[in-house]
Amino acid sequence: MTKVKHFILLFLMAVFTGFSQVNGDNAVMEIKGTVKGMENFEPISDVDVSTSSGRYARTNALGEFKIRASINDILIVESPEFETVRHRITSDEDIDVRVEGYDPYSVDQKKKKEAARSTTNHERFLDSANFYKKTDLEKSIDFIAKSISQLGKRGNKRELSTALTALGDIYLFHQQYDLAITNFKDALSNRLSSKTSLLLGKAYLRNGEFQNAENTLLPLLESKNMIPYQRIELYEALGDINKASSKLEKALDFYQEGLEVAQKNQISPKVIDLNSKIADAYAGENRIIEAEGFYTNSLSLSKQVAPERLIEENEKVADFYSDKNRYDDEIRLRKKSLTELKQLPQQAVPKPSAGLLNPDSITSQRINYKIANAYIAQDKLDEAIPYLERSIVEADSEDDLVVQKDATRKLSEVYRYKGDFSKALESYQNYVAVVDSLYVRKEQEISRAARFNREIATKQNRISSLEQERQLSQSKYSLALAEQQLSRAATKKQEWIIYSLAIGIILLTLTTFLYYRSNRQQKLANNLLALKSLRTQMNPHFIFNALNSVNTYIAKSDERSANRFLSEFSVLMRSVLENSEEDFIPLSRELELLELYVKLEHSRFADKFDFEIDIDEKIDIEAFEIPPMLLQPYIENAIWHGLRYREEKGFLKITAEQLDNDMLEINIMDNGIGRKKSAALKTSNQKKQKSKGMGNIKKRIQILNDMYKNKVDVSITDLYDDETGTKVSLKLKKD
């Protein structure tokens, strides 16, 4: 913002200088002139004429120009067809500029060749961008930038719109929906297109902005120039919007419209898609007969196309059977999918990525896992075990940690149900090891995603700067034309100066606003990404120790304690995951989670501390909101680093009191060994791993206070004068 202020200040100084020149000795005057060839006296059009003081004009078809200038200004005449000519203005007389070596025929030919070459390069770069669309996002964006740069400062709006639409489509494919929406909007601002509007609507749909998606797509129903495939996609998207909004009848109407167009034009893939989606909609209304009929249609049609599509439909129908508890039909279809999958060519078999898989990915290991679940649902545990073991082996060979984790945990449960506790324990230990690996991979993926988003933002800014440069060039050219028109009226010279400066100030203000808004949006996007990353990083200290406690219960054959602990622990973890997408949650919900957490810790360290949670009854806890799991790391520190090392039984107290109408104070107090002694013990034990909980909390508070203007304040002090005990005080504003 400092640079922007300086820029505005300099501009205003230039404005006042211009006014002073109008009224001073060095007056601004209108200069008329022509630009012609030296040898043939041919007028030269589209020549850029500017002055050293920043004014600009272009020659018309007769080679004539008008420009405002002052005595001693340098007139600069430039064009790609000849060397730049400079001329000092000494009077208000007309100027006749002659350039050497100008051949009108060769110039026309040169212009045509340059235009053709520019268009060819633009299309070639767009083709390259589409080629790398699915395999290399960064390279694809680079080619889009190159295609836009080929258009020049006053590029054709149709070609620019095509490039921006291609860029939005690339972002849409890679699930960068906000960037896709921005570029589709820019493309439509340059040229209206049914294709771009359809893509914008789909981007809104996938981003969960259903109302915007509907507002964008509904007007396309009146369009007469859409090809059949686009018309089908329009009906399908409108059906998806209404289905997501629980308007199943309207969704079915749109799906049926799309199906009729697809059948009429024999577009087989869309016929299958729409049969499947109609079946999904009927299943959502629990109309089983209709749903099964359309599922049967989609399966029958899938047999006539690619085997991969048949497998996909098999699995979708199998999921339907699973929901309706028709496990025998489900198992039959999934076994058929396994057979079809093995018959596919090796390169056609979908491979899991090294990262976290989509839960709906169709792989051999996941199908085996689902078959095992179907057997377990029927209490056929012996039949389930081979499929679970096969799923684990295949997932391990394919580096599919998600399926490996789920299958290993399920295998442990099956062995426990069968009473084979040694194998159950062995499988559970394997499960814990896979969870550790999965956690490490998740952290790596978060880091890669942050770095990737920074790189994408840089490339998008580069493309935006090209677009802004083109817009500024167009504005400059438009301003020059306006200047020529206004300068024809000699009696309105002063009025022209005021208008020109006003337009300049408006353009500068607009540019400054766009720059400021872009910075704010980028900062907000970075803050949201950082918050999302920090919210998903729950301290593994408690998770792994809790799992070890369950392991201990199992080892002691204390099944009741293990089940009770797991049940309460799962409730806590489910709540944490449900709240992980929110910046703030109601205080009442946070207090419920904290009470459950403290009870879990107390069940493990009952001999180390007692606790009390005292909430002032006068507090309207529903009126306050707090970041989720903000207090948990402080309570964990109090227990693990304060109370746990006391020789005598300690006490943990959590209180909440209202300071005024808009301020609430929450205190966490423990009579543990204190921060100083805890730090000394930590140093002497040379712990190899350091909890990230406190660091994450500080970062979250900093970001939230930046976004919500100091809503949360935390202070940590010693509870007693002898530096024992710890008191954490958190102040929370209502709004």
Side-chain angles (χ1 to χ4, degrees):
M1 283 303 298
T2 303
K3 293 181 179 179
V4 174
K5 291 178 180 177
H6 289 168
F7 186 51
I8 294 174
L9 181 61
L10 289 173
F11 184 82
L12 292 176
M13 290 174 63
V15 170
F16 289 123
T17 302
F19 275 117
S20 65
Q21 289 178 348
V22 171
N23 299 317
D25 295 333
N26 197 17
V28 178
M29 52 195 174
E30 184 178 74
I31 303 295
K32 298 180 181 179
T34 58
V35 180
K36 297 179 180 179
M38 179 71 76
E39 295 82 3
N40 47 34
F41 301 100
E42 285 286 340
I44 309 176
S45 61
D46 293 328
V47 175
D48 293 327
V49 181
S50 59
T51 67
S52 54
S53 58
R55 292 179 174 84
Y56 176 83
R58 286 177 72 86
T59 59
N60 59 22
L62 300 177
E64 300 171 343
F65 68 89
K66 295 179 182 180
I67 192 167
R68 297 185 66 79
S70 302
I71 301 298
N72 292 324
D73 277 356
I74 302 298
L75 191 70
I76 305 169
V77 181
E78 52 188 344
S79 173
E81 285 76 38
F82 54 80
E83 292 186 4
T84 300
V85 177
R86 287 176 170 81
H87 172 78
R88 183 177 294 277
I89 298 174
T90 57
S91 67
D92 60 352
E93 295 180 356
D94 292 352
I95 299 173
D96 188 14
V97 180
R98 299 297 177 89
V99 297
E100 297 180 354
Y102 172 71
D103 184 346
Y105 178 76
S106 63
V107 169
D108 289 342
Q109 290 296 99
K110 185 176 181 181
K111 285 183 178 179
K112 291 178 181 179
K113 290 179 180 178
E114 287 182 352
R117 183 166 61 251
S118 176
T119 302
T120 301
N121 288 338
H122 168 73
E123 294 174 350
R124 179 166 57 85
F125 286 134
L126 276 186
D127 290 341
S128 298
N130 288 324
F131 178 79
Y132 287 105
K133 169 184 171 181
K134 298 182 179 180
T135 57
D136 193 328
L137 173 58
E138 295 184 49
K139 187 176 291 187
S140 186
I141 295 175
D142 284 336
F143 279 117
I144 292 290
K146 291 178 181 178
S147 73
I148 293 177
S149 66
Q150 291 294 313
L151 299 178
K153 294 182 178 179
R154 291 190 298 276
N156 184 286
K157 286 191 174 184
R158 175 189 291 271
E159 294 170 345
L160 179 62
S161 177
T162 302
L164 292 174
T165 299
L167 179 60
D169 197 25
I170 291 168
Y171 282 134
L172 183 63
F173 179 81
H174 290 277
Q175 301 179 5
Q176 302 288 325
Y177 301 128
D178 289 335
L179 290 173
I181 290 169
T182 298
N183 283 282
F184 287 142
K185 285 182 176 179
D186 290 343
L188 289 172
S189 68
N190 284 279
R191 176 175 173 266
L192 294 177
S193 164
S194 298
K195 175 185 176 182
T196 307
S197 297
L198 180 59
L199 288 170
L200 176 60
K202 291 169 71 175
Y204 276 134
L205 171 61
R206 296 184 189 178
N207 205 35
E209 301 178 43
F210 302 126
Q211 190 59 53
N212 286 336
E214 191 171 41
N215 293 340
T216 303
L217 295 178
L218 281 177
L220 295 179
L221 292 173
E222 306 299 325
S223 176
K224 304 298 183 183
N225 58 351
M226 295 180 70
I227 62 176
Y229 193 87
Q230 289 178 338
R231 180 73 62 181
I232 296 168
E233 286 194 320
L234 173 61
Y235 286 129
E236 184 179 8
L238 287 169
D240 291 341
I241 293 169
N242 283 280
K243 182 183 175 185
S245 304
S246 300
K247 302 175 183 177
L248 295 179
E249 288 298 330
K250 290 186 67 176
L252 283 169
D253 290 340
F254 281 118
Y255 287 148
Q256 290 285 4
E257 291 277 359
L259 181 59
E260 289 179 8
V261 178
Q263 290 172 335
K264 180 179 179 180
N265 292 275
Q266 298 181 348
I267 303 176
S268 299
K270 282 301 177 184
V271 173
I272 299 172
D273 286 343
L274 289 164
N275 269 284
S276 184
K277 288 193 174 185
I278 292 172
D280 290 341
Y282 278 127
E285 287 190 316
N286 208 28
R287 295 165 64 175
I288 308 303
I289 296 176
E290 293 94 331
E292 192 163 8
F294 279 97
Y295 277 132
T296 301
N297 289 344
S298 67
L299 280 176
S300 176
L301 294 168
S302 298
K303 295 176 182 178
Q304 304 171 16
V305 294
E308 297 91 334
R309 187 57 193 270
L310 177 59
I311 296 172
E312 181 182 340
E313 289 303 313
N314 274 343
E315 285 303 291
K316 184 177 289 188
V317 178
D319 290 338
F320 167 72
Y321 287 147
S322 178
D323 291 339
K324 304 307 175 185
N325 299 329
R326 295 170 57 177
Y327 299 115
D328 290 336
D329 292 332
E330 176 192 358
I331 292 170
R332 173 181 55 79
L333 271 183
R334 296 202 194 279
K335 287 182 177 179
K336 186 176 180 181
S337 294
L338 282 177
T339 302
E340 296 285 344
L341 200 60
K342 291 177 182 178
Q343 294 176 356
L344 288 179
Q346 190 62 27
Q347 63 270 21
V349 178
K351 293 290 183 183
S353 66
L356 298 177
L357 284 176
N358 184 328
D360 295 325
S361 299
I362 299 176
T363 57
S364 178
Q365 59 267 25
R366 184 167 292 279
I367 296 175
N368 276 304
Y369 174 67
K370 289 183 176 181
I371 292 174
N373 279 332
Y375 277 125
I376 292 171
Q378 300 178 85
D379 291 329
K380 298 179 180 180
L381 303 183
D382 291 330
E383 288 88 339
I385 289 175
Y387 285 96
L388 287 174
E389 291 174 340
R390 199 174 305 146
S391 176
I392 293 169
V393 171
E394 291 176 346
D396 183 50
S397 66
E398 297 292 347
D399 199 22
D400 186 352
L401 291 181
V402 174
V403 173
Q404 188 177 2
K405 169 183 71 70
D406 293 341
T408 306
R409 176 180 56 81
K410 186 68 70 173
L411 183 61
S412 174
E413 293 175 357
V414 169
Y415 280 131
R416 182 163 60 85
Y417 293 150
K418 287 173 62 64
D420 192 343
F421 295 107
S422 61
K423 288 187 177 180
L425 177 59
E426 179 183 355
S427 296
Y428 190 81
Q429 289 172 338
N430 292 336
Y431 164 72
V432 172
V434 175
V435 169
D436 290 346
S437 301
L438 194 59
Y439 180 81
V440 172
R441 180 169 294 175
K442 179 64 176 177
E443 285 193 327
Q444 294 172 347
E445 286 217 341
I446 291 172
S447 175
R448 283 198 299 269
R451 184 173 64 254
F452 178 74
N453 283 340
R454 287 194 298 270
E455 293 172 353
I456 294 304
T458 300
K459 294 180 182 297
Q460 177 62 29
N461 287 337
R462 176 189 171 197
I463 293 174
S464 298
S465 66
L466 288 173
E467 170 62 7
Q468 289 175 359
E469 180 181 354
R470 187 193 65 83
Q471 290 177 349
L472 288 174
S473 177
Q474 285 185 332
S475 299
K476 182 179 179 183
Y477 181 60
S478 299
L479 184 61
L481 293 178
E483 179 181 347
Q484 289 180 1
Q485 294 173 356
L486 291 172
S487 64
R488 293 172 185 171
T491 59
K492 296 184 178 181
K493 291 182 180 180
Q494 189 68 29
E495 182 181 357
W496 171 85
I497 296 175
I498 296 173
Y499 287 163
S500 299
L501 292 176
I503 294 173
I505 291 173
I506 292 172
L507 289 175
L508 176 63
T509 304
L510 178 60
T511 303
T512 304
F513 171 73
L514 292 175
Y515 177 81
Y516 174 71
R517 186 178 67 174
S518 176
N519 280 354
R520 284 195 62 187
Q521 290 176 342
Q522 185 63 44
K523 182 178 179 182
L524 177 61
N526 291 339
N527 282 344
L528 291 175
L529 179 63
L531 272 179
K532 187 171 183 180
S533 174
L534 292 171
R535 285 197 300 258
T536 57
Q537 297 180 34
M538 184 178 180
N539 191 344
H541 197 155
F542 168 68
I543 299 175
F544 295 140
N545 279 288
L547 293 176
N548 287 334
S549 296
V550 178
N551 194 20
T552 302
Y553 288 138
I554 295 175
K556 293 180 179 180
S557 298
D558 190 354
E559 182 177 349
R560 178 175 298 176
S561 296
N563 285 335
R564 177 182 55 79
F565 192 96
L566 269 178
S567 176
E568 294 179 347
F569 177 73
S570 65
V571 172
L572 175 61
M573 292 307 299
R574 187 183 304 111
S575 299
V576 169
L577 293 175
E578 289 174 351
N579 297 331
S580 65
E581 293 296 323
E582 304 292 334
D583 290 345
F584 290 88
I585 63 173
L587 179 60
S588 57
R589 199 191 311 172
E590 176 73 357
L591 291 175
E592 291 174 1
L593 295 180
L594 290 179
E595 184 176 2
L596 179 57
Y597 170 76
V598 175
K599 285 181 179 179
L600 286 173
E601 293 286 48
H602 184 259
S603 68
R604 299 168 58 201
F605 304 114
D607 59 334
K608 287 294 183 180
F609 74 98
D610 289 323
F611 71 95
E612 177 185 0
I613 300 177
D614 183 15
I615 309 300
D616 191 346
E617 295 180 356
K618 298 178 182 179
I619 300 175
D620 183 9
I621 58 176
E622 296 296 335
F624 286 85
E625 292 187 337
I626 188 172
M629 294 302 285
L630 182 68
L631 300 173
Q632 182 268 338
Y634 296 113
I635 297 175
E636 182 179 6
N637 275 2
I639 297 172
W640 279 80
H641 302 298
L643 298 170
R644 195 161 62 99
Y645 292 109
R646 278 180 56 94
E647 295 179 359
E648 301 172 353
K649 194 171 187 179
F651 190 80
L652 173 68
K653 185 173 183 179
I654 302 171
T655 65
E657 60 180 347
Q658 191 159 348
L659 302 180
D660 54 42
N661 290 337
D662 298 322
M663 181 72 72
L664 181 72
E665 183 177 29
I666 301 173
N667 293 313
I668 303 170
M669 296 171 285
D670 70 86
N671 59 350
I673 62 175
R675 293 180 294 166
K676 184 175 181 180
K677 190 172 181 180
S678 175
L681 287 174
K682 189 172 185 179
T683 301
S684 62
N685 290 332
Q686 295 181 344
K687 294 185 176 180
K688 295 181 179 179
Q689 294 186 352
K690 181 180 180 182
S691 173
K692 296 181 180 178
M694 300 309 296
N696 285 349
I697 288 298
K698 290 180 180 178
K699 292 178 184 177
R700 284 180 67 193
I701 291 175
Q702 181 180 358
I703 294 173
L704 288 168
N705 283 338
D706 183 50
M707 294 173 64
Y708 298 102
K709 306 305 179 185
N710 299 323
K711 180 166 182 171
V712 181
D713 180 54
V714 179
S715 62
I716 304 175
T717 58
D718 294 327
L719 188 61
Y720 304 112
D721 294 336
D722 61 351
E723 297 184 338
T724 62
T726 305
K727 178 181 178 181
V728 178
S729 178
L730 183 141
K731 293 181 180 178
L732 182 68
K733 287 185 181 179
K734 181 181 291 185
D735 187 9

